[in-house]
Amino acid sequence: YVLSATALFWFGLNGLIALVPFWVVSFLGRGEGDVTNLMGLFLVVNLLFFFVFNGLAPKLGKHVLMLATLLGSAVALAAMCLVGLLPIGSDYVQTAFVVALFGAPVAGFMVLPFAILGDVVDYDERLTGRRREAIFFGVQGVFQKIMIGVSVFTFTIVPFLGDDGSYRLREDGWVTISGRYTPNGGAALAKDNKAKQGTPWVWILGEKTPAAGAETEETKMSARAIRVDVAPNHVNAPWMLRGPDGFVREGVGDETLRDLAPGKYSPTWGEVADWNRPDPPRIPTAFGLKLMALLSGLFCLAAFVVFLGYPIRDHGGKITVKGEET
């Protein structure tokens, strides 16, 4: 029961952690700084409820709180699918509420599974007369890593369902459309290396960091804007951008387009001698991201159903096994 429930929950937990950055950038149309804000909120709530679960465990019992953890996580993840459909606040505010809501039950998962597994080890000792903590904790770790791997693999497919190569611009968001050209000849490669040598850098703590005054366009972006970013910058490649209501705009190199109509925008990258055009992008869709959130929630719900049958109970300092007299 413990092995199955915790493994299933790890799918949901890892799914949300991987989902948030793509959700913020692709669905909400915001910058990476907002990802940090949301995860910071998640950690604050998680830390506060860590003490709540730690205090409630002796009173309510680990089995009850573990069920609350699994079911609460399933509800929070399913609520991600409602973002944008509720008439309360902006989509960003709704997302922040859901992420904070998810932080509460995850705190229980940080406290309970190993304590519960300790009870299992004690019960196993009563049955066999041997202490086998290593095999119990080791097998749990193996299944945890397997389920995280399954979650990562699933994430490479599900969020991109329905992708047609277009970027979605929201009323209250902005989008960066990036195209990276790669050299296919010696002349282009030499020019690229020469351009890199001329980039201004400063050394901070032993790492190369862009010098002051380097690219900060992201911090200046406003709502309903699209930034076309051609890399490397010295290529100055031509491009064409098509959007809603017959919108067509051509340009060369980096450019920021403002006051655009919300909707889908598709780039076409032009030919440049000795350079390969960018590969078609894989862009997460609103449908795919919400489906991934729902799938993660279903895994947490499955963990709840599995753990219903867990037979060890603890209350008031006493531990009993369901179906046994002592």
Side-chain angles (χ1 to χ4, degrees):
Y1 295 108
V2 178
L3 179 68
S4 301
T6 54
L8 289 167
F9 184 86
W10 270 107
F11 183 101
L13 177 59
N14 191 70
L16 181 83
I17 293 174
L19 182 71
V20 170
F22 290 89
W23 183 278
V24 171
V25 175
S26 298
F27 180 73
L28 297 180
R30 290 177 173 262
E32 295 179 357
D34 290 302
V35 178
T36 303
N37 294 334
L38 288 179
M39 294 311 297
L41 179 62
F42 169 84
L43 290 175
V44 168
V45 175
N46 184 260
L47 179 61
L48 291 175
F49 273 83
F50 176 88
F51 297 101
V52 173
F53 276 93
N54 201 41
L56 291 177
K59 300 177 181 178
L60 300 180
K62 294 188 285 289
H63 180 254
V64 172
L65 289 182
M66 187 65 174
L67 289 176
T69 293
L70 301 175
L71 184 60
S73 299
V75 171
L77 285 167
M80 288 287 284
C81 301
L82 301 178
V83 172
L85 303 178
L86 301 175
I88 304 173
S90 65
D91 292 356
Y92 180 76
V93 171
Q94 294 176 24
T95 300
F97 174 78
V98 172
V99 171
L101 181 66
F102 187 67
V106 170
F109 192 72
M110 300 295 103
V111 176
L112 297 169
F114 288 118
I116 291 173
L117 191 57
D119 292 340
V120 175
V121 172
D122 290 340
Y123 181 62
D124 177 67
E125 182 186 21
R126 200 183 84 185
L127 296 179
T128 66
R130 292 181 293 168
R131 298 288 298 184
R132 301 189 292 179
E133 292 95 332
I135 191 66
F136 277 86
F137 282 85
V139 171
Q140 186 184 47
V142 168
F143 276 81
Q144 169 186 320
K145 290 177 174 60
I146 290 174
M147 194 56 70
I148 290 176
V150 173
S151 174
V152 171
F153 175 75
T154 305
F155 196 84
T156 64
I157 300 174
V158 174
F160 302 95
L161 294 177
D163 172 31
D164 57 2
S166 62
Y167 295 78
R168 179 170 175 255
L169 179 64
R170 299 173 59 90
E171 180 72 33
D172 57 348
W174 55 270
V175 171
T176 296
I177 298 179
S178 299
R180 171 164 290 278
Y181 284 75
T182 56
N184 64 2
L189 184 59
K191 185 177 180 181
D192 189 36
N193 291 333
K194 184 178 180 180
K196 289 179 180 178
Q197 293 174 1
T199 303
W201 297 93
V202 292
W203 285 90
I204 299 178
L205 299 179
E207 295 184 1
K208 265 189 170 183
T209 306
E215 185 61 60
T216 57
E217 185 67 23
E218 180 174 322
T219 63
K220 303 176 183 178
M221 295 296 288
S222 58
R224 294 173 54 193
I226 292 180
R227 177 191 175 201
V228 180
D229 180 26
V230 179
N233 290 330
H234 60 82
V235 174
N236 286 325
W239 48 264
M240 177 183 294
L241 190 64
R242 292 182 174 86
D245 302 323
F247 175 90
V248 178
R249 180 71 62 85
E250 296 184 12
V252 176
D254 296 351
E255 187 175 343
T256 299
L257 312 177
R258 304 183 186 276
D259 298 322
L260 301 178
K264 290 185 175 182
Y265 289 82
S266 301
T268 301
W269 305 104
E271 296 281 356
V272 178
D274 297 325
W275 292 86
N276 299 314
R277 288 195 296 180
D279 295 327
R282 295 184 72 225
I283 305 170
T285 64
F287 169 78
L289 290 171
K290 289 191 174 185
L291 181 60
M292 186 66 197
L294 180 61
L295 186 61
S296 298
L298 290 176
F299 269 77
C300 291
L301 182 61
F304 169 80
V305 173
V306 168
F307 202 71
L308 284 172
Y310 176 71
I312 299 178
R313 303 286 189 270
D314 62 293
H315 187 73
K318 297 180 180 180
I319 296 181
T320 60
V321 179
K322 189 177 180 180
E324 294 187 3
E325 295 182 358
T326 59

